[in-house]
Amino acid sequence: MNQFRSLFACTRVPSPSVDRLHRHFKTASEGPCPRHLMVASNGHVYSVDVICEDESIISISELKQQFSWIESHSKSIGRGPGVSALTTTNRDIWAKNWKHLVDISSTNKEILDVIDKALICVTFSDATSGTINENAHQAMCGDVHNSWFDKSLSGLFNADGTFGSNNEHSPADGLTYLTFSHFVEARLQYRNWTYKGSEAVRKLPQPRHLQFILNPMLCQAIESAVKDYSVLIQIFTANRRQNCLIFVETQLCSWHYNWPIEDCIT
């Protein structure tokens, strides 16, 4: 059960030779816990509070408003630098660039701390995925400009409404994430996939746009990371074992939850 504590507000931080796991989740009796999400959209990074000062959680209607603002704002200012691409590189290389980010600007240090403590990462993608294979591929190999792969739990929302998740497995076993996902789906099914809460929207603080300070060296590092990632994805896509992995995961779902196979693949 202790692994469930690592689902939220947990990040794998790059360090030379050995990475570090930063866990910030606390129960109400243990003390203050982070209140914000990290949101990645169009190469930009944002922070949005989802727990108010009175400990209430913002409603779905309010969350929709905040997410809509982020998506609109990110598109209105053009493609962002996509610093998240650095999280796809060799860990020692990422550790070097992480340190360089911190060294050149206190703003970068603050942004990395905000990302580090975020409850989860939410990603908006313009992609569409018509089949489970396409959705799984998008979740694993999505837009490198938006996927902060160091976060323990990332939710990826595609333009057609499909959803996937990408998880960093250092802090928890795969089955921990699978159990969490099953719980979320069970709650949605219980509510008949329909939101029945309040439509009222309070005046909330505007999401914060997190803008990294970059120099030519870091810009080059991001460009190289994007190119290397593209090559890696081409190799992965061409590998027929992908379908085998998805099949094994489907079988595992069926076995663990006693689901009919057809329910796992539709």
Side-chain angles (χ1 to χ4, degrees):
M1 292 296 293
N2 189 57
Q3 290 190 21
F4 285 98
R5 297 175 61 91
S6 298
L7 291 180
F8 302 102
C10 180
T11 305
R12 178 178 175 178
V13 178
S15 296
S17 300
V18 179
D19 288 352
R20 295 164 290 150
L21 283 177
H22 286 185
R23 296 181 175 93
H24 304 281
F25 174 81
K26 293 182 180 180
T27 63
S29 63
E30 292 172 333
C33 182
R35 302 169 178 269
H36 65 281
L37 306 179
M38 168 198 174
V39 182
S41 179
N42 200 33
H44 298 279
V45 179
Y46 298 82
S47 172
V48 55
D49 289 341
V50 292
I51 301 177
C52 302
E53 292 297 331
D54 62 1
E55 301 300 328
S56 63
I57 301 174
I58 67 174
S59 69
I60 297 298
S61 299
E62 291 168 336
L63 188 60
K64 177 182 178 182
Q65 174 182 267
Q66 299 291 66
F67 281 173
S68 295
W69 184 91
I70 289 173
E71 185 176 29
S72 175
H73 181 265
S74 67
K75 291 183 177 180
S76 69
I77 59 177
R79 186 73 159 176
V83 177
S84 61
L86 296 176
T87 68
T88 69
T89 59
N90 173 276
R91 300 306 295 181
D92 285 341
I93 294 176
W94 173 211
K96 177 182 177 181
N97 287 321
W98 188 94
K99 184 178 184 302
H100 190 58
L101 277 167
V102 171
D103 288 344
I104 68 171
S105 172
S106 59
T107 297
N108 291 342
K109 185 177 186 303
E110 179 188 355
I111 291 174
L112 289 170
D113 187 61
V114 170
I115 293 173
D116 183 12
K117 295 178 179 177
L119 293 169
I120 65 171
C121 173
V122 174
T123 294
F124 296 140
S125 170
D126 290 329
T128 58
S129 53
T131 67
I132 186 173
N133 279 19
E134 292 170 351
N135 195 27
H137 186 274
Q138 179 63 22
M140 290 186 287
C141 315
D143 188 350
V144 66
H145 296 85
N146 290 332
S147 301
W148 199 276
F149 289 109
D150 290 350
K151 289 303 293 180
S152 177
L153 180 61
S154 296
L156 299 93
F157 296 87
N158 297 317
D160 58 357
T162 53
F163 169 81
S165 65
N166 191 295
N167 311 308
E168 213 296 307
H169 283 294
S170 296
D173 294 331
L175 198 56
T176 305
Y177 297 101
L178 186 62
T179 302
F180 166 75
S181 299
H182 175 57
F183 173 80
V184 172
E185 183 180 17
R187 294 296 297 174
L188 290 171
Q189 289 179 340
Y190 175 76
R191 296 176 180 272
N192 198 29
W193 303 89
T194 302
Y195 174 62
K196 300 178 181 179
S198 172
E199 297 293 339
V201 176
R202 294 169 291 178
K203 184 175 178 58
L204 298 171
Q206 184 173 285
R208 180 183 169 198
H209 184 201
L210 307 177
Q211 297 178 274
F212 284 98
I213 305 299
L214 303 175
N215 59 17
M217 172 186 162
L218 286 168
C219 290
Q220 179 60 47
I222 294 171
E223 183 179 346
S224 296
V226 172
K227 291 180 180 178
D228 291 345
Y229 183 81
S230 177
V231 172
L232 182 65
I233 295 309
Q234 289 177 16
I235 296 173
F236 178 80
T237 303
N239 194 331
R240 294 181 179 272
R241 286 186 298 173
Q242 176 192 359
N243 289 332
C244 177
L245 290 172
I246 294 172
F247 172 79
V248 170
E249 182 179 44
T250 302
Q251 294 295 320
L252 179 60
C253 290
S254 175
W255 164 77
H256 184 69
Y257 297 114
N258 196 28
W259 291 343
I261 290 295
E262 58 269 26
D263 289 349
C264 299
I265 60 176
T266 58

